Amino acid sequence: MKALIIIDMQQEMQFRIETGRDCVNGDAPKRIAALASAFRQRGLPVVHIRHHDDDPRSSMHADAAGYPPMACAEALDGEAVFIKHTSSAFASTDLEAHLRKEGIGELVVTGAVAGFCVNSTVRAGADLGFAMTVVRDAVVGFDLPDAGLSAQVIFDVTMAHLESDFARIIDTSVVLAD
């Protein structure tokens, strides 16, 4: 069975998009919402991953305005929600055990941020033997201004690395057509 994984689509991502930070796929939230709806209509699981930073000054701390999920990542009753404290959704949660218990072997990954949590989760999932698919146009990427790297460069390199050995890379239209 396959499941949709929505990684870190929390208000902090919306704030970054709205403030005009250099970004790829700023419209990904609408695609993620469409994918979640399609998975739900097909009776397939939608799994939510949220990032929590223990530092109370962090925008990703549970008390911060950036912590709550965006509308596209609101969990419905019965949908699994995992709170992670690491980049990979596998490293600090029971995600792997949950997926195995539910008989889920294929993960369709969306969310944020391409070069960080999406990247590390996809690589870890592939290492654990899950069939990984990344929905390219439903993944948000941001720049690294201190390194002088644009969002597009980071995104393109990340997708190329993932596609070379860890995941199938497709667009939303392909998933919706399945």
Side-chain angles (χ1 to χ4, degrees):
M1 179 184 345
K2 68 179 164 181
L4 179 68
I5 306 292
I6 303 173
I7 300 174
D8 297 353
M9 289 304 287
Q10 293 163 256
Q11 288 300 319
E12 176 61 21
M13 302 311 135
Q14 187 64 45
F15 298 156
R16 291 178 189 183
I17 293 166
E18 288 173 354
T19 59
R21 181 157 173 195
D22 181 26
C23 141
V24 173
N25 293 328
D27 56 352
K30 71 178 181 183
R31 290 186 185 99
I32 293 169
L35 290 164
S37 177
F39 269 69
R40 289 168 179 142
Q41 288 174 0
R42 295 172 185 163
L44 295 171
V46 176
V47 177
H48 304 267
I49 310 297
R50 298 193 185 132
H51 188 85
H52 175 265
D53 191 331
D54 290 330
D55 182 349
R57 297 167 295 173
S58 170
S59 62
M60 299 299 276
H61 185 273
D63 295 331
Y67 182 78
M70 295 171 63
C72 67
E74 286 282 352
L76 298 184
D77 286 343
E79 291 181 342
V81 177
F82 292 90
I83 310 300
K84 66 182 181 60
H85 303 278
T86 55
S87 184
S88 169
F90 289 100
S92 59
T93 72
D94 293 328
L95 177 61
E96 179 186 7
H98 169 79
L99 297 172
R100 300 223 189 268
K101 181 178 138 257
E102 297 297 318
I104 298 167
E106 181 183 348
L107 306 180
V108 178
V109 179
T110 67
V113 172
F116 291 89
C117 299
V118 170
N119 184 12
S120 59
T121 298
V122 170
R123 287 173 179 240
D127 287 346
L128 292 167
F130 291 97
M132 305 301 290
T133 298
V134 176
V135 187
R136 176 192 340 254
D137 60 350
V139 172
V140 179
F142 294 103
D143 62 347
L144 286 174
D146 292 342
L149 296 171
S150 72
Q152 192 67 59
V153 165
I154 295 166
F155 188 86
D156 290 346
V157 169
T158 300
M159 291 298 125
H161 279 151
L162 293 176
E163 188 169 37
S164 72
D165 202 32
F166 301 98
R168 180 176 157 224
I169 308 293
I170 60 175
D171 289 319
T172 300
S173 60
V174 175
V175 179
L176 295 177
D178 274 350

